[in-house]
Amino acid sequence: MSKKKHETPLLDELKKGPWPSFVKEIEKAAVRSETANDTLGQVEKSYRTRRGYWKHGGIVGVLGYGGGVIGRYSSLPEEFPGVKFFHTVRINQPSGWFYTTKALREICDIWDKYGSGLTNIHGSTGDLVLLGTDTESLEAIFAEYSSRGWDLGGSGSAMRTPSCCIGPARCEWANINSLEINYQLTQEFQDELHRPAFPYKFKIKTSGCAVDCVAAIARADLSIIGTWKGKIQIDQAEVQNYAKKGMNINAEIVNMCPTQCISYDGKEMKIDDAECSRCMHCIAKMTKALRPSGERGATLLMGSKAPIVVGSLLSWVIVPFIKLEPPYKELKELIRKMIEWWDENSKPRERIGEVIEIKGMRSFLEAIGVPPSPAQVKWPRKDPFIFFKDEDFEKVYKKGKY
Ligand code: HEM
Ligand code: HEM
Ligand code: SF4
Ligand code: SF4
């Protein structure tokens, strides 16, 4: 099967230019794989006719698991038999995406045996994605990977494979051990990950700081973002060094601070820490001059999602500060309460952020046992309002104070 089966003049255009080309990569896989070969044929046809020929449908998977494999098919199986089935297998990635080359070879060798040879490292879900195999091969694939210690990731209405930034493994800005938190949550929610029982998907992403390398704030139903309580330590001599090297401190730092809490008179930099929102901008720009201090922990934010049914959302603050240390008991319990409230209050296919918008913060906060706080207001003059209940007034009357 070393010969290219299909003429692909339109795809060939995409090999020109200086960029890496997915066409070149599929051609490499096509030397050995009928599936990759017919992928080229079908995609070329799509470019010609401007129509898509991939279809969803059917439930495929492996015994004992409700997710981890996404069923895909060609709607032109006779013309392109190699892609009659084109299922995707999600492999749960290690925290922070660290692999040895040996591990990567192992993954690819197994995949070459059963699949198209095409991978997506990594999918935007976080998982290591193997693209294109048939229904028959699934059990064998699962047996080979799981016997070597790999597991499938999440798919469908389930806990999705949690993901995190590289955190303390390589990054001085990590306020929390994002890798360990991610690993512990993945273990804690194994059942929820492999047996879809939720109204819809639930994603947890953990970043060690607000630079937010996994884009938790935009992509996760629960975004865990490391932060600190103390003041930003300022090394004035280093501030001067940045100025000497040509940094326009007023334009690049002072005016870019979202809470306008930095001042600089050409000699000394001052930060009003009470106003600082811990956004990391100044620290990321002036690494040598500024660093966080004091107690470390995380802010928990909720609700982000892409626009599928209704518009996209960014996560907003639910818990302004939580200490996160093993075994993360408080965090795990909080997540279980969040999911329970969501499960009870949502319609099918509603993400938790949408349900909070519909049902309001009060019901949500009561269910998870987190007190209301001004930090939870999404933006000024936008609800959620916290309405008073009769008991609240009774407290006032009886005790003379709230
Ligand atoms: C001379 C009389 C008044 C003036 C000039 C005035 C002016 C204003 C202005 C400019 C705002 C908007 C504030 C903002 O957007 O930041 C506002 C808000 C409001 N006003 Fe008045 N107001 C007056 C009397 C009243 C009275 C008599 C009431 C109620 C009995 C009232 C109830 C409210 C309420 C509930 C809001 C919304 C507050 C919020 O949600 O932040 N106002 N008023
Ligand atoms: C059937 C009666 C009423 C209806 C349907 C109604 C409806 C509304 C709506 C849709 C808004 C805008 C809410 C928003 O932008 O989030 C609003 C705002 C407001 N209404 Fe009413 N309203 C009614 C009666 C009243 C009465 C009787 C008062 C005062 C005595 C009042 C005072 C206000 C004020 C002050 C605002 C501005 C709130 C803010 O900006 O935060 N409304 N109302
Ligand atoms: S999110 Fe922060 S802690 Fe994590 S890798 Fe990025 S900069 Fe470092
Ligand atoms: S971390 Fe962000 S909010 Fe805080 S002082 Fe620096 S730029 Fe301003």
Side-chain angles (χ1 to χ4, degrees):
M1 206 186 320
S2 57
K3 227 176 123 252
K4 200 174 164 186
K5 249 170 81 178
H6 306 279
E7 286 305 311
T8 57
L10 292 171
L11 286 182
D12 291 344
E13 288 297 311
L14 299 175
K15 293 194 285 183
K16 298 174 185 168
W19 307 281
S21 157
F22 75 95
V23 177
K24 278 187 204 159
E25 297 306 314
I26 302 179
E27 281 178 352
K28 280 189 216 162
V31 173
R32 275 184 295 176
S33 157
E34 177 78 14
T35 307
N37 220 328
D38 275 347
T39 303
L40 289 168
Q42 177 164 314
V43 174
E44 174 73 18
K45 179 159 180 161
S46 275
Y47 277 49
R48 207 168 55 241
T49 61
R50 301 183 180 207
R51 287 193 54 189
Y53 300 104
W54 300 113
K55 59 175 190 171
H56 299 199
I59 304 255
V60 287
V62 298
L63 209 61
Y65 277 34
V69 181
I70 297 105
R72 291 292 182 268
Y73 306 81
S74 168
S75 56
L76 304 170
E78 266 125 54
E79 200 174 342
F80 303 107
V83 292
K84 180 174 179 193
F85 306 97
F86 199 83
H87 308 324
T88 293
V89 179
R90 287 185 176 157
I91 301 286
N92 192 325
Q93 83 285 4
S95 277
W97 301 287
F98 288 98
Y99 302 90
T100 59
T101 45
K102 183 168 165 275
L104 285 173
R105 279 213 178 84
E106 180 175 274
I107 287 169
C108 292
D109 287 345
I110 298 171
W111 186 232
D112 277 342
K113 223 154 88 183
Y114 299 101
S116 69
L118 302 175
T119 64
N120 186 357
I121 302 181
H122 290 85
S124 44
T125 53
D127 305 89
L128 191 156
V129 179
L130 307 171
L131 299 159
T133 190
D134 54 15
T135 312
E136 259 176 25
S137 306
L138 291 173
E139 288 295 347
I141 290 172
F142 180 56
E144 290 230 21
Y145 282 114
S146 57
S147 66
R148 287 165 178 79
W150 300 98
D151 199 2
L152 298 186
S155 71
S157 293
M159 175 69 75
R160 296 305 186 79
T161 318
S163 70
C164 65
C165 76
I166 57 167
R170 301 210 48 170
C171 181
E172 65 187 278
W173 290 330
N175 292 298
I176 46 173
N177 190 342
S178 49
L179 303 159
E180 181 66 14
I181 293 165
N182 192 64
Y183 176 75
Q184 293 298 338
L185 293 180
T186 305
Q187 297 301 331
E188 173 76 15
F189 293 103
Q190 279 294 298
D191 196 32
E192 289 78 359
L193 218 150
H194 297 308
R195 289 163 201 92
F198 289 170
Y200 200 17
K201 59 182 111 170
F202 192 91
K203 301 182 178 176
I204 304 177
K205 295 191 193 288
T206 307
S207 280
C209 79
V211 172
D212 195 9
C213 293
V214 282
I217 199 163
R219 306 193 302 162
D221 298 272
L222 172 61
S223 323
I224 302 173
I225 299 186
T227 190
W228 66 94
K229 268 197 171 170
K231 295 187 168 191
I232 295 177
Q233 307 289 302
I234 308 174
D235 182 335
Q236 299 292 351
E238 289 292 351
V239 173
Q240 289 309 314
N241 273 341
Y242 278 104
K244 266 185 228 141
K245 283 184 198 147
M247 180 182 268
N248 183 341
I249 291 177
N250 274 315
E252 289 173 52
I253 310 293
V254 177
N255 294 345
M256 300 289 276
C257 168
T259 61
Q260 300 282 291
C261 67
I262 310 180
S263 60
Y264 177 66
D265 59 6
K267 292 195 196 87
E268 201 188 2
M269 174 175 270
K270 284 190 190 149
I271 296 177
D272 181 358
D273 290 274
E275 294 298 323
C276 166
S277 65
R278 275 71 175 160
C279 81
M280 283 296 292
H281 171 77
C282 60
I283 295 169
K285 282 274 181 188
M286 304 182 86
T287 311
K288 289 185 179 161
L290 306 176
R291 62 181 61 233
S293 75
E295 207 181 336
R296 308 299 162 96
T299 300
L300 305 184
L301 305 94
M302 299 215 69
S304 59
K305 60 177 241 3
I308 304 283
V309 183
V310 292
S312 52
L313 293 172
L314 290 177
S315 285
W316 64 96
V317 175
I318 299 296
V319 179
F321 190 86
I322 180 170
K323 289 274 302 173
L324 288 183
E325 276 157 10
Y328 309 106
K329 192 163 168 276
E330 195 189 345
L331 177 66
K332 289 174 189 168
E333 278 169 10
L334 201 56
I335 296 172
R336 292 211 178 273
K337 284 188 218 155
M338 287 167 174
I339 289 170
E340 199 175 315
W341 177 84
W342 171 47
D343 204 15
E344 272 167 20
N345 287 286
S346 78
K347 293 194 204 127
R349 302 236 136 201
E350 265 172 1
R351 298 280 284 271
I352 192 166
E354 290 163 325
V355 183
I356 297 174
E357 292 241 305
I358 294 161
K359 299 272 170 183
M361 286 282 279
R362 190 178 91 181
S363 140
F364 177 65
L365 292 177
E366 276 175 4
I368 64 170
V370 169
S373 104
Q376 293 154 346
V377 176
K378 232 174 161 182
W379 52 78
R381 301 187 58 71
K382 163 92 177 77
D383 44 344
F385 289 110
I386 301 291
F387 292 98
F388 291 102
K389 293 180 295 184
D390 287 349
E391 303 105 82
D392 298 327
F393 290 110
E394 275 160 29
K395 276 186 215 156
V396 178
Y397 296 139
K398 280 184 193 146
K399 293 186 188 157
K401 63 177 173 131
Y402 175 54

